[in-house]
Amino acid sequence: MEKIQLSGENLTRRLIAAAVALVIGGIALTYAVSQMLAPEVGWQTIEASLAEGPNCGSELVFHYELGAAEGSPSAENSAVTTLYTDACRKLYQLFHTEESFTGVTNLWYVSQHPNETVTVDDILYRAFESVQRCGDRTVYLGPVYAHYGGLFYCTDDSQLVEYDPFLNNEIRAEFAAAAAFARDPQAIELRLLGGNRVCLSVSEEYLAYAQQEGIERFLDFGWLKNAFIVDAIAEIMVENGYTHGSISSGNGFSRNLDDREVPYSQNLFDRVDGVIYPVGEMTYRGPMSIVYLRDYPMNDMDRYWSYQLEDGSVRSSYLDPADGLCRSAAHDLVCYSQTLSCAEIALQAAPIYVSDTLDVQALEALAGVGIQSIRCEGRNVLGTEPDLEIANLYEGGGVCYSLLTD
């Protein structure tokens, strides 16, 4: 065997070469990983992170076009996601009706402190102002909404007898009693005192009844909750300059933030004899608030707001303050506006929709305050907007839809 002595110079060169190769490999690996993790440019679904606690993102869908503005799409994605997550967590806490959170004066807190003056967040205060302006009393149906929540989580019809006022006269009487209190300003009234201060005034009679019946929830926005949540998130995004997207809730509230001439569409449906038809697509451009009132389930999210019986009948969250029972004047009704928010539209449309029959004249009168509507009668799509555009009108199986405008 021959022993060969390597020079120190060669050894140094080899070490340097190995180090350079290692650095280059590390850079290449880092670049490859960053490329895999970097958000794609274009339309993406923004998800609210659950890392810092629960939020209302599971009830919402937020589509956003990354890269449409100047700057890094990755930085934009991070900023939009953080802002959205923070908003979803805050709103989840503010509108919660069954739980308290440290440092948060939410709906549950206000219900738990009747006849006391408390200070609430500006978002909640403005929501209270909105319902008072419209004279809406359904926010006081907290006990009834609580009971319907149990109904919606039933897994089969055999469980309904414990929750359904249409099957149980005792429950129906309880709903009627709670609704009577809700309608009476002397029994319950949320007084707005300015400076975001409120006082939930509850009579001694109602307090005694609540203690007797185990009622803890006086306030609940019910199906209107997500209207205020979608509006609040839309305002937060616009205020921060993130407008290239749209946000919607599973129960029919949508806000398009985009002021560009980018085409958007809203799918329309018609339920006839238990069959759901895809009627077509309402097309539009620019900022828009859309309220889709629908009294039947279509997706997994609908378990929060409706229950369909085996015979095809449905229990929905559209409650009538007259007696606490759910009512809907049509299976589908779309109301929309370029100037008003989702909450403003919903509060105006509620008395028309939550009824046994649809008041067409009242519906058409909404056009005078900037709220257009779309509904189906027979196989006709009726719209109050003269320039309404419906794409891909349904034709098939002997069924044909046609568009009529006022």
Side-chain angles (χ1 to χ4, degrees):
M1 294 180 63
E2 182 180 3
K3 185 177 180 180
I4 301 175
Q5 181 69 40
L6 295 175
S7 69
E9 181 180 353
N10 289 336
L11 181 60
T12 301
R13 287 176 180 176
R14 291 188 181 190
L15 289 174
I16 292 174
V20 170
L22 183 62
V23 170
I24 293 175
I27 293 174
L29 180 61
T30 301
Y31 177 77
V33 171
S34 68
Q35 288 300 105
M36 288 190 297
L37 297 179
E40 295 182 10
V41 174
W43 286 101
Q44 305 295 325
T45 300
I46 306 298
E47 302 283 353
S49 171
L50 295 171
E52 296 183 27
N55 58 59
C56 59
S58 62
E59 299 182 27
L60 308 172
V61 177
F62 185 19
H63 293 300
Y64 199 84
E65 186 179 10
L66 296 174
E70 295 182 0
S72 164
S74 180
E76 183 182 33
N77 178 65
S78 178
V80 170
T81 299
T82 298
L83 196 62
Y84 179 55
T85 297
D86 291 345
C88 285
R89 185 172 61 254
K90 176 180 180 177
L91 293 164
Y92 172 85
Q93 295 178 355
L94 284 179
F95 286 89
H96 211 294
T97 57
E98 299 176 341
E99 185 179 349
S100 62
F101 301 90
T102 303
V104 179
T105 306
N106 60 3
L107 280 178
W108 172 249
Y109 187 94
V110 177
S111 285
Q112 292 296 294
H113 293 79
N115 301 314
E116 296 181 23
T117 298
V118 299
T119 301
V120 299
D121 188 272
D122 183 62
I123 292 174
L124 202 53
Y125 192 85
R126 287 188 284 120
F128 290 143
E129 285 182 320
S130 296
V131 296
Q132 285 203 356
R133 277 196 301 269
C134 290
D136 185 90
R137 302 288 300 181
T138 57
V139 69
Y140 301 117
L141 288 174
V144 184
Y145 279 119
H147 203 91
Y148 267 93
L151 188 157
F152 297 149
Y153 275 96
C154 288
T155 55
D156 61 73
D157 290 6
S158 65
Q159 300 171 338
L160 291 180
V161 68
E162 298 181 21
Y163 301 97
D164 193 345
F166 293 95
L167 302 176
N168 188 317
N169 288 331
E170 183 178 343
I171 294 174
R172 192 184 188 110
E174 291 176 4
F175 283 13
F181 283 117
R183 295 194 309 273
D184 184 2
Q186 300 301 315
I188 183 169
E189 184 74 16
L190 187 67
R191 294 189 289 124
L192 305 182
L193 307 175
N196 291 350
R197 293 176 302 118
V198 304
C199 178
L200 180 63
S201 177
V202 184
S203 69
E204 292 298 324
E205 180 187 2
Y206 192 10
L207 286 174
Y209 177 81
Q211 184 175 10
Q212 174 188 321
E213 298 297 323
I215 293 172
E216 296 182 306
R217 185 193 305 184
F218 290 109
L219 299 174
D220 194 328
F221 282 100
W223 65 275
L224 289 166
K225 178 193 73 172
N226 279 342
F228 293 104
I229 286 177
V230 168
D231 285 337
I233 295 175
E235 291 169 10
I236 290 170
M237 290 297 161
V238 171
E239 287 172 2
N240 286 273
Y242 299 111
T243 60
H244 298 156
S246 65
I247 181 170
S248 60
S249 71
N251 63 329
F253 300 106
S254 302
R255 283 285 297 267
N256 178 27
L257 317 177
D258 205 333
D259 57 4
R260 303 171 297 172
E261 284 298 305
V262 175
Y264 285 82
S265 64
Q266 169 67 53
N267 291 326
L268 306 175
F269 300 92
D270 184 27
R271 188 172 189 256
V272 181
D273 298 328
V275 179
I276 302 172
Y277 294 91
V279 171
E281 302 165 10
M282 179 188 84
T283 58
Y284 65 94
R285 289 173 172 79
M288 187 76 74
S289 300
I290 301 175
V291 174
Y292 198 128
L293 302 173
R294 169 173 50 82
D295 71 349
Y296 56 90
M298 283 189 66
N299 54 57
D300 289 341
M301 285 190 192
D302 288 334
R303 70 182 185 277
Y304 299 119
W305 305 291
S306 64
Y307 178 91
Q308 182 167 305
L309 282 72
E310 294 174 2
D311 64 4
S313 58
V314 177
R315 306 293 184 258
S316 74
S317 56
Y318 301 113
L319 305 189
D320 190 339
D323 51 17
L325 301 181
C326 60
R327 288 187 173 84
S328 53
H331 290 309
D332 297 88
L333 176 65
V334 179
C335 297
Y336 59 98
S337 175
Q338 293 179 311
T339 57
L340 302 179
S341 68
C342 285
E344 289 171 322
I345 296 170
L347 287 166
Q348 294 274 0
I352 301 172
Y353 186 75
V354 185
S355 176
D356 290 322
T357 57
L358 189 66
D359 186 340
V360 175
Q361 289 186 337
L363 188 62
E364 293 173 345
L366 290 182
V369 296
I371 301 174
Q372 305 293 344
S373 63
I374 303 172
R375 68 187 191 279
C376 291
E377 289 185 7
R379 299 300 180 183
N380 294 319
V381 183
L382 305 177
T384 56
E385 182 184 6
D387 298 327
L388 175 65
E389 297 180 16
I390 303 292
N392 302 318
L393 281 167
Y394 180 79
E395 294 184 17
V399 175
C400 179
Y401 282 88
S402 58
L403 172 64
L404 301 175
T405 57
D406 295 341

PDB file of all heavy atoms in Angstrom, residues 5 31 68 82 95 163 183 188 243 246 248 288 307 336 352 374 393:
ATOM      1  N   GLN A   5      -0.039  11.688   0.680  1.00  0.00           N
ATOM      2  CA  GLN A   5      -0.330  12.834   1.548  1.00  0.00           C
ATOM      3  C   GLN A   5      -0.986  13.930   0.710  1.00  0.00           C
ATOM      4  O   GLN A   5      -0.422  14.393  -0.273  1.00  0.00           O
ATOM      5  CB  GLN A   5       0.980  13.354   2.161  1.00  0.00           C
ATOM      6  CG  GLN A   5       0.805  14.527   3.107  1.00  0.00           C
ATOM      7  CD  GLN A   5       0.100  14.121   4.371  1.00  0.00           C
ATOM      8  OE1 GLN A   5       0.364  13.044   4.897  1.00  0.00           O
ATOM      9  NE2 GLN A   5      -0.804  14.952   4.839  1.00  0.00           N
ATOM     10  N   TYR A  31     -35.964  27.918  -2.249  1.00  0.00           N
ATOM     11  CA  TYR A  31     -36.754  28.500  -3.340  1.00  0.00           C
ATOM     12  C   TYR A  31     -37.889  27.568  -3.745  1.00  0.00           C
ATOM     13  O   TYR A  31     -39.025  27.999  -3.950  1.00  0.00           O
ATOM     14  CB  TYR A  31     -35.848  28.773  -4.541  1.00  0.00           C
ATOM     15  CG  TYR A  31     -36.591  29.295  -5.743  1.00  0.00           C
ATOM     16  CD1 TYR A  31     -37.012  30.621  -5.796  1.00  0.00           C
ATOM     17  CD2 TYR A  31     -36.893  28.464  -6.821  1.00  0.00           C
ATOM     18  CE1 TYR A  31     -37.712  31.108  -6.895  1.00  0.00           C
ATOM     19  CE2 TYR A  31     -37.589  28.932  -7.909  1.00  0.00           C
ATOM     20  CZ  TYR A  31     -37.989  30.260  -7.947  1.00  0.00           C
ATOM     21  OH  TYR A  31     -38.690  30.725  -9.028  1.00  0.00           O
ATOM     22  N   ALA A  68     -53.957  41.374  -8.291  1.00  0.00           N
ATOM     23  CA  ALA A  68     -54.614  42.389  -9.123  1.00  0.00           C
ATOM     24  C   ALA A  68     -54.142  43.790  -8.761  1.00  0.00           C
ATOM     25  O   ALA A  68     -54.252  44.711  -9.565  1.00  0.00           O
ATOM     26  CB  ALA A  68     -56.137  42.301  -8.968  1.00  0.00           C
ATOM     27  N   THR A  82     -54.882  37.841   7.458  1.00  0.00           N
ATOM     28  CA  THR A  82     -54.809  38.309   8.851  1.00  0.00           C
ATOM     29  C   THR A  82     -55.980  39.216   9.188  1.00  0.00           C
ATOM     30  O   THR A  82     -56.610  39.066  10.247  1.00  0.00           O
ATOM     31  CB  THR A  82     -53.487  39.060   9.088  1.00  0.00           C
ATOM     32  OG1 THR A  82     -52.392  38.165   8.866  1.00  0.00           O
ATOM     33  CG2 THR A  82     -53.415  39.599  10.507  1.00  0.00           C
ATOM     34  N   PHE A  95     -71.362  38.700  18.349  1.00  0.00           N
ATOM     35  CA  PHE A  95     -72.727  38.266  18.085  1.00  0.00           C
ATOM     36  C   PHE A  95     -73.070  36.931  18.751  1.00  0.00           C
ATOM     37  O   PHE A  95     -74.132  36.375  18.489  1.00  0.00           O
ATOM     38  CB  PHE A  95     -72.961  38.174  16.575  1.00  0.00           C
ATOM     39  CG  PHE A  95     -73.093  39.514  15.913  1.00  0.00           C
ATOM     40  CD1 PHE A  95     -71.979  40.194  15.430  1.00  0.00           C
ATOM     41  CD2 PHE A  95     -74.334  40.127  15.786  1.00  0.00           C
ATOM     42  CE1 PHE A  95     -72.093  41.435  14.839  1.00  0.00           C
ATOM     43  CE2 PHE A  95     -74.466  41.357  15.185  1.00  0.00           C
ATOM     44  CZ  PHE A  95     -73.343  42.025  14.713  1.00  0.00           C
ATOM     45  N   TYR A 163     -89.341  19.678  19.899  1.00  0.00           N
ATOM     46  CA  TYR A 163     -88.916  21.014  19.501  1.00  0.00           C
ATOM     47  C   TYR A 163     -89.897  21.745  18.585  1.00  0.00           C
ATOM     48  O   TYR A 163     -89.907  22.980  18.551  1.00  0.00           O
ATOM     49  CB  TYR A 163     -87.566  20.936  18.763  1.00  0.00           C
ATOM     50  CG  TYR A 163     -86.457  20.333  19.572  1.00  0.00           C
ATOM     51  CD1 TYR A 163     -86.129  18.979  19.437  1.00  0.00           C
ATOM     52  CD2 TYR A 163     -85.727  21.100  20.465  1.00  0.00           C
ATOM     53  CE1 TYR A 163     -85.086  18.419  20.176  1.00  0.00           C
ATOM     54  CE2 TYR A 163     -84.680  20.544  21.204  1.00  0.00           C
ATOM     55  CZ  TYR A 163     -84.379  19.206  21.059  1.00  0.00           C
ATOM     56  OH  TYR A 163     -83.359  18.657  21.793  1.00  0.00           O
ATOM     57  N   ARG A 183     -92.895  41.474  21.444  1.00  0.00           N
ATOM     58  CA  ARG A 183     -93.603  42.540  20.722  1.00  0.00           C
ATOM     59  C   ARG A 183     -93.879  43.750  21.606  1.00  0.00           C
ATOM     60  O   ARG A 183     -94.184  44.828  21.102  1.00  0.00           O
ATOM     61  CB  ARG A 183     -94.931  42.016  20.164  1.00  0.00           C
ATOM     62  CG  ARG A 183     -94.808  40.954  19.102  1.00  0.00           C
ATOM     63  CD  ARG A 183     -96.148  40.764  18.381  1.00  0.00           C
ATOM     64  NE  ARG A 183     -97.245  40.556  19.316  1.00  0.00           N
ATOM     65  CZ  ARG A 183     -97.626  39.381  19.814  1.00  0.00           C
ATOM     66  NH1 ARG A 183     -96.929  38.288  19.486  1.00  0.00           N
ATOM     67  NH2 ARG A 183     -98.654  39.265  20.639  1.00  0.00           N
ATOM     68  N   ILE A 188     -89.905  44.524  27.090  1.00  0.00           N
ATOM     69  CA  ILE A 188     -88.475  44.481  26.766  1.00  0.00           C
ATOM     70  C   ILE A 188     -88.161  45.528  25.709  1.00  0.00           C
ATOM     71  O   ILE A 188     -88.879  45.657  24.716  1.00  0.00           O
ATOM     72  CB  ILE A 188     -88.047  43.068  26.286  1.00  0.00           C
ATOM     73  CG1 ILE A 188     -86.539  43.020  26.028  1.00  0.00           C
ATOM     74  CG2 ILE A 188     -88.840  42.618  25.072  1.00  0.00           C
ATOM     75  CD1 ILE A 188     -85.993  41.610  25.817  1.00  0.00           C
ATOM     76  N   THR A 243     -60.274  45.536  -2.047  1.00  0.00           N
ATOM     77  CA  THR A 243     -61.594  45.550  -2.680  1.00  0.00           C
ATOM     78  C   THR A 243     -61.757  44.558  -3.817  1.00  0.00           C
ATOM     79  O   THR A 243     -62.829  44.498  -4.426  1.00  0.00           O
ATOM     80  CB  THR A 243     -61.901  46.959  -3.223  1.00  0.00           C
ATOM     81  OG1 THR A 243     -60.900  47.310  -4.198  1.00  0.00           O
ATOM     82  CG2 THR A 243     -61.913  47.979  -2.098  1.00  0.00           C
ATOM     83  N   SER A 246     -65.200  39.278  -3.073  1.00  0.00           N
ATOM     84  CA  SER A 246     -66.581  39.232  -2.609  1.00  0.00           C
ATOM     85  C   SER A 246     -66.679  38.256  -1.449  1.00  0.00           C
ATOM     86  O   SER A 246     -65.945  37.272  -1.389  1.00  0.00           O
ATOM     87  CB  SER A 246     -67.531  38.793  -3.734  1.00  0.00           C
ATOM     88  OG  SER A 246     -67.266  37.459  -4.117  1.00  0.00           O
ATOM     89  N   SER A 248     -69.548  36.106   1.117  1.00  0.00           N
ATOM     90  CA  SER A 248     -70.938  35.662   1.225  1.00  0.00           C
ATOM     91  C   SER A 248     -71.083  34.703   2.391  1.00  0.00           C
ATOM     92  O   SER A 248     -70.118  34.079   2.832  1.00  0.00           O
ATOM     93  CB  SER A 248     -71.404  34.994  -0.073  1.00  0.00           C
ATOM     94  OG  SER A 248     -70.596  33.867  -0.364  1.00  0.00           O
ATOM     95  N   MET A 288     -72.014  45.520  -4.881  1.00  0.00           N
ATOM     96  CA  MET A 288     -73.408  45.075  -4.798  1.00  0.00           C
ATOM     97  C   MET A 288     -73.635  44.358  -3.473  1.00  0.00           C
ATOM     98  O   MET A 288     -72.757  43.645  -2.974  1.00  0.00           O
ATOM     99  CB  MET A 288     -73.725  44.126  -5.953  1.00  0.00           C
ATOM    100  CG  MET A 288     -75.190  43.726  -6.061  1.00  0.00           C
ATOM    101  SD  MET A 288     -76.211  45.045  -6.750  1.00  0.00           S
ATOM    102  CE  MET A 288     -75.706  44.965  -8.485  1.00  0.00           C
ATOM    103  N   TYR A 307     -84.526  22.813   8.633  1.00  0.00           N
ATOM    104  CA  TYR A 307     -84.649  21.358   8.736  1.00  0.00           C
ATOM    105  C   TYR A 307     -85.764  20.921   7.799  1.00  0.00           C
ATOM    106  O   TYR A 307     -86.869  21.475   7.830  1.00  0.00           O
ATOM    107  CB  TYR A 307     -84.978  20.933  10.170  1.00  0.00           C
ATOM    108  CG  TYR A 307     -85.159  19.433  10.320  1.00  0.00           C
ATOM    109  CD1 TYR A 307     -84.092  18.606  10.633  1.00  0.00           C
ATOM    110  CD2 TYR A 307     -86.416  18.838  10.114  1.00  0.00           C
ATOM    111  CE1 TYR A 307     -84.248  17.232  10.750  1.00  0.00           C
ATOM    112  CE2 TYR A 307     -86.584  17.461  10.237  1.00  0.00           C
ATOM    113  CZ  TYR A 307     -85.497  16.668  10.549  1.00  0.00           C
ATOM    114  OH  TYR A 307     -85.658  15.309  10.664  1.00  0.00           O
ATOM    115  N   TYR A 336     -81.606  42.932  -3.924  1.00  0.00           N
ATOM    116  CA  TYR A 336     -80.244  43.426  -4.070  1.00  0.00           C
ATOM    117  C   TYR A 336     -80.219  44.935  -4.258  1.00  0.00           C
ATOM    118  O   TYR A 336     -81.232  45.548  -4.631  1.00  0.00           O
ATOM    119  CB  TYR A 336     -79.532  42.728  -5.234  1.00  0.00           C
ATOM    120  CG  TYR A 336     -80.196  42.902  -6.591  1.00  0.00           C
ATOM    121  CD1 TYR A 336     -79.745  43.862  -7.497  1.00  0.00           C
ATOM    122  CD2 TYR A 336     -81.263  42.096  -6.969  1.00  0.00           C
ATOM    123  CE1 TYR A 336     -80.344  44.015  -8.747  1.00  0.00           C
ATOM    124  CE2 TYR A 336     -81.863  42.233  -8.216  1.00  0.00           C
ATOM    125  CZ  TYR A 336     -81.402  43.200  -9.094  1.00  0.00           C
ATOM    126  OH  TYR A 336     -82.010  43.347 -10.324  1.00  0.00           O
ATOM    127  N   ILE A 352     -92.045  41.529   4.372  1.00  0.00           N
ATOM    128  CA  ILE A 352     -92.678  41.056   3.142  1.00  0.00           C
ATOM    129  C   ILE A 352     -92.492  39.555   2.995  1.00  0.00           C
ATOM    130  O   ILE A 352     -93.421  38.833   2.610  1.00  0.00           O
ATOM    131  CB  ILE A 352     -92.090  41.798   1.920  1.00  0.00           C
ATOM    132  CG1 ILE A 352     -92.303  43.310   2.065  1.00  0.00           C
ATOM    133  CG2 ILE A 352     -92.712  41.293   0.620  1.00  0.00           C
ATOM    134  CD1 ILE A 352     -91.583  44.122   1.003  1.00  0.00           C
ATOM    135  N   ILE A 374     -85.905  39.793  -7.425  1.00  0.00           N
ATOM    136  CA  ILE A 374     -86.146  38.760  -8.437  1.00  0.00           C
ATOM    137  C   ILE A 374     -86.916  37.640  -7.766  1.00  0.00           C
ATOM    138  O   ILE A 374     -86.566  37.202  -6.666  1.00  0.00           O
ATOM    139  CB  ILE A 374     -84.821  38.194  -8.992  1.00  0.00           C
ATOM    140  CG1 ILE A 374     -83.947  39.311  -9.582  1.00  0.00           C
ATOM    141  CG2 ILE A 374     -85.092  37.135 -10.059  1.00  0.00           C
ATOM    142  CD1 ILE A 374     -82.560  38.833  -9.966  1.00  0.00           C
ATOM    143  N   LEU A 393     -80.564  30.856 -18.829  1.00  0.00           N
ATOM    144  CA  LEU A 393     -81.902  30.483 -18.365  1.00  0.00           C
ATOM    145  C   LEU A 393     -82.133  28.997 -18.598  1.00  0.00           C
ATOM    146  O   LEU A 393     -81.803  28.446 -19.647  1.00  0.00           O
ATOM    147  CB  LEU A 393     -82.964  31.300 -19.092  1.00  0.00           C
ATOM    148  CG  LEU A 393     -83.177  32.738 -18.578  1.00  0.00           C
ATOM    149  CD1 LEU A 393     -84.016  33.539 -19.555  1.00  0.00           C
ATOM    150  CD2 LEU A 393     -83.830  32.725 -17.201  1.00  0.00           C
TER     151      LEU A 393
END
